[in-house]
Amino acid sequence: MASTARSSIKHIREVLARGRLKSAPPTLRRHYSSSSPAPPAPAPASSRKGRLLTAATLGLLIGGGAYASTVDEATFCGWLFSATKLVNPFFAFLDPEVAHRLAVSAAARGWVPREKRPDQPILGLELWGRKFSNPVGLAAGFDKNAEAVEGLLGLGFGFVEVGSVTPVPQEGNPKPRIFRLREEGAIINRCGFNSEGIVAVAKRLGAQHGKRKLDETSNSTPSSTDDVKHGGKAGPGILGVNLGKNKTSEDAAADYVQGVHTLSQYADYLLMLSCSVVEKELLSGKTSRCFVAYEVINVSSPNTPGLRKLQGRKQLKDLVKKIQAARDEMQWGEEGPPPLLVKIAPDLSKEDLEDIAAVALALRLDGLIITNTTVSRPDSVKRNPLAEETGGLSGKPLFDLSTKILKEMYILTRGKIPLIGCGGISSGEDAYKKIRAGASLVQLYTGFAYGGPALIPQIKAELAGCLEKDGFKSIQEAVGADCRQ
């Protein structure tokens, strides 16, 4: 360390010396040589400031490097995640869509911290034959076009869902279409499935899949058959692709089938989820999610005309049958086809929930995602002028409503169908409440938008603490605990 410090100081002196030489008058520079000391010459104020800034920058870089060399990897990783708290507030000054675009670009370029610390064993679980290192995932809508899969999974999510992806590229609804309700910890959006289309997403996922396979074949270290392999075709963690229908399409099922045929080959372990949501006819349209570990059919978006009409019992049953047929006609490896899930909305009546539960049980759906955004406006947001904007509300005000629906669906399905809890999660305690209400996995979106990367390790640590406090040894033991009391 002493030699490093001496060489660093010497380098800074050389930089400062060059700065003094460049700032000296031409007549003095001609007579200056390495064998004679530089004559004193007053430097302009701007030059002095430049030298001070250079010295300070170099000092920070060298000091940071020296600090990093003295700490273990886990400590340094934690420091990087904590440092994002200093950057995240600046996004609040930007237009919401511009901030979102910058965040996706940063993750795509690897300008985000990478989680090097292993997840606590208590957070691991197995679902659909797949190993999840932790139950915390990123919901669809953040990385719509699969641009930042590797960076997002590297943040420490147990799974990441991309999309919605439509067969043909579409712009979505006119801007502005995203509105922050910062004091309420909420967001209203009416994006309307803006997507680059299946072809663009397939190219990206294909490249990621090829890179993953190349890395596996070039790894000379043999792995034991007893080792638990976390992750999928895109790298660590489980990847999901959310398939959607185009606004102008008159055949929603055909759009979803096209998505299954084109993108399911990149689904991790080819698990398939189909998600459907029943909300008011105000919003209609369909989205299908295709996780790297499973695919999801989303018929719950409030921002696509005609989508929520697909959530009635007959419509949903017919739709799921067609998607299942499209999946089953494809050739799968030893791991079999991906699981199918249905995503539902929080604005459903008791009869709607009963219909969805009946279809899920009758067709043996592999899971349900509960819930999408809400078209309702809880009392906590009504006084905000932005609450009058059309679109789906997400974030903290949605938590109680979505958790109530989650618990009801766990009871209606008798705990036979795995559920993913989504809506208003911003802490480990929130995630724990979703799990106790019946969720095996949970998803973030708005909480992540406000909290940034530092929120992920925080939620996982808090969740582990909640499990241990109540005497649970695993996630599975806690699933549906409140429904058994």
Side-chain angles (χ1 to χ4, degrees):
M1 286 298 298
S3 60
T4 302
R6 285 195 297 271
S7 61
S8 300
I9 294 172
K10 180 180 178 182
H11 181 65
I12 293 175
R13 287 176 175 171
E14 290 175 352
V15 171
L16 294 177
R18 287 197 294 269
R20 287 195 297 270
L21 177 60
K22 290 179 180 178
S23 62
T27 55
L28 294 177
R29 287 203 302 268
R30 281 197 301 270
H31 298 289
Y32 176 75
S33 66
S34 58
S35 59
S36 60
S46 59
S47 297
R48 289 196 298 271
K49 291 180 180 178
R51 292 200 301 272
L52 289 173
L53 180 60
T54 301
T57 302
L58 287 172
L60 287 173
L61 290 174
I62 294 168
Y67 171 74
S69 66
T70 63
V71 299
D72 59 275
E73 189 176 62
T75 301
F76 185 62
C77 181
W79 178 81
L80 287 177
F81 272 90
S82 297
T84 63
K85 295 179 181 179
L86 302 176
V87 179
N88 204 53
F90 290 99
F91 284 83
F93 296 101
L94 303 174
D95 171 82
E97 197 147 0
V98 172
H100 177 218
R101 182 65 251 165
L102 287 176
V104 173
S105 297
R109 288 166 173 76
W111 296 346
V112 292
R114 190 171 187 84
E115 184 59 83
K116 300 292 186 180
R117 299 161 293 184
D119 289 324
Q120 297 186 48
I122 196 173
L123 296 178
L125 72 158
E126 182 175 342
L127 198 61
W128 307 304
R130 305 274 52 94
K131 303 287 186 179
F132 290 78
S133 63
N134 72 77
V136 183
L138 178 62
F142 186 84
D143 185 8
K144 293 177 179 290
N145 299 301
E147 301 173 74
V149 172
E150 185 175 355
L152 292 172
L153 285 173
L155 286 171
F157 284 110
F159 61 106
V160 168
E161 185 176 329
V162 301
S164 296
V165 185
T166 56
V168 178
Q170 63 182 26
E171 293 294 325
N173 292 325
K175 300 177 182 179
R177 55 195 181 185
I178 302 177
F179 307 90
R180 295 190 188 103
L181 288 71
R182 182 166 294 279
E183 292 184 0
E184 294 80 7
I187 290 176
I188 292 175
N189 93 85
R190 52 168 181 262
C191 291
F193 289 172
N194 49 310
S195 171
E196 293 182 8
I198 282 181
V199 174
V201 172
K203 287 182 179 179
R204 291 191 183 107
L205 292 182
Q208 293 164 9
H209 177 56
K211 179 183 177 182
R212 171 70 166 173
K213 299 301 291 185
L214 181 61
D215 291 341
E216 289 178 351
T217 55
S218 61
N219 186 359
S220 58
T221 304
S223 59
S224 170
T225 55
D226 295 331
D227 290 342
V228 175
K229 179 182 176 183
H230 297 284
K233 295 182 179 179
I238 303 299
L239 173 65
V241 181
N242 183 314
L243 305 175
K245 77 177 272 292
N246 284 109
K247 283 186 177 181
T248 57
S249 174
E250 296 182 358
D251 190 344
D255 281 6
Y256 292 124
V257 168
Q258 182 178 350
V260 170
H261 286 165
T262 306
L263 296 176
S264 62
Q265 61 182 311
Y266 306 118
D268 269 328
Y269 315 108
L270 299 178
L271 306 176
M272 196 169 215
L273 307 134
S274 78
C275 52
S276 73
V277 179
V278 181
E279 292 181 359
K280 298 178 181 178
E281 294 184 3
L282 160 65
L283 314 163
S284 43
K286 240 179 183 185
T287 53
S288 167
R289 295 184 179 181
C290 178
F291 283 148
V292 166
Y294 48 87
E295 289 181 330
V296 179
I297 302 169
N298 180 352
V299 294
S300 59
S301 170
N303 303 311
T304 303
L307 180 57
R308 299 192 179 190
K309 293 180 181 179
L310 299 170
Q311 297 178 103
R313 181 181 290 206
K314 184 180 185 303
Q315 291 87 345
L316 177 60
K317 191 172 184 178
D318 292 343
L319 174 65
V320 172
K321 281 185 175 180
K322 291 179 180 178
I323 303 301
Q324 286 178 328
R327 174 196 63 176
D328 295 342
E329 70 184 13
M330 300 176 68
Q331 294 183 351
W332 305 105
E334 295 180 359
E335 294 173 336
L340 278 170
L341 283 75
V342 170
K343 184 171 187 177
I344 69 172
D347 308 316
L348 304 177
S349 67
K350 181 69 173 180
E351 291 74 19
D352 291 329
L353 295 177
E354 291 173 350
D355 283 346
I356 293 173
V359 171
L361 290 169
L363 298 182
R364 298 181 180 179
L365 282 175
D366 297 291
L368 296 166
I369 299 181
I370 304 170
T371 66
N372 208 323
T373 58
T374 178
V375 294
S376 68
R377 297 295 182 262
D379 293 338
S380 59
V381 303
K382 285 183 178 179
R383 283 180 285 185
N384 192 314
L386 291 175
E388 298 181 1
E389 293 288 349
T390 301
L393 174 74
S394 62
K396 291 182 179 180
L398 177 60
F399 181 82
D400 290 339
L401 177 59
S402 63
T403 305
K404 177 184 176 183
I405 299 296
L406 172 65
K407 187 174 182 179
E408 291 184 16
M409 287 304 295
Y410 182 83
I411 294 172
L412 287 171
T413 57
R414 303 187 293 277
K416 293 184 177 181
I417 296 179
L419 307 178
I420 297 180
C422 183
I425 298 174
S426 59
S427 69
E429 185 178 357
D430 291 340
Y432 182 55
K433 288 179 179 179
K434 294 282 188 184
I435 291 170
R436 289 185 64 99
S440 296
L441 301 171
V442 297
Q443 286 182 323
L444 313 178
Y445 187 104
T446 303
F448 177 62
Y450 281 123
L455 183 64
I456 306 167
Q458 174 189 326
I459 286 181
K460 292 191 292 186
E462 292 174 352
L463 175 57
C466 289
L467 290 166
E468 292 171 351
K469 180 181 178 181
D470 287 347
F472 294 115
K473 297 180 180 179
S474 67
I475 294 290
Q476 287 94 330
E477 288 186 6
V479 173
D482 289 344
C483 303
R484 299 191 293 267
Q485 294 178 352

